[in-house]
Amino acid sequence: MGDDQVGASLQRFDDLYPQESGESALQQLQVQLSNALPFDLEELELAEYRNLNPKWHDWNTVKTVCAHLATMIFDRVSEMRRDMTVNSMYRQPPLTKPTYDCLTLRAVKV
């Protein structure tokens, strides 16, 4: 999965995982990925995991990829928010049908 697919799949992350505090779950994920540090790192032996691709047996590789994902998430979220702001600036108000007075057939302000 490439950066674009990861970014697209995370667009609704906050909607799917709302936080009671109102904070962004996606930002929390980004922070955790930027400095990935499992509580059991001292005891962790990645090579013991069954069917784990050997490239993931080195914790430094895992940490590097996590840091890249954190940066990519930040970039994609920033782009999405910028695009949403620009789009809302140019959004036209919805068209409304005129309402007519039934007796005079004149348009009435609603």
Side-chain angles (χ1 to χ4, degrees), residues 45-49 51-59 61-62:
E45 192 58 50
L46 294 173
E48 293 176 0
Y49 285 84
N51 297 325
L52 182 63
N53 185 316
K55 86 175 194 177
W56 300 112
H57 290 185
D58 178 29
W59 176 248
T61 300
V62 173

Side-chain angles (χ1 to χ4, degrees), residues 90-94:
Y90 295 105
R91 189 174 302 138
Q92 297 293 322

Side-chain angles (χ1 to χ4, degrees), residues 10-46:
L10 291 173
Q11 282 182 341
R12 296 199 50 233
F13 196 82
D14 285 334
D15 296 333
L16 296 171
Y17 300 99
Q19 304 298 298
E20 288 181 18
S21 65
E23 294 181 7
S24 169
L26 185 57
Q27 286 180 338
Q28 181 182 2
L29 174 65
Q30 178 191 359
V31 167
Q32 290 174 330
L33 287 172
S34 68
N35 189 25
L37 190 61
F39 70 92
D40 60 351
L41 185 58
E42 299 284 325
E43 306 151 13
L44 189 65
E45 192 58 50
L46 294 173

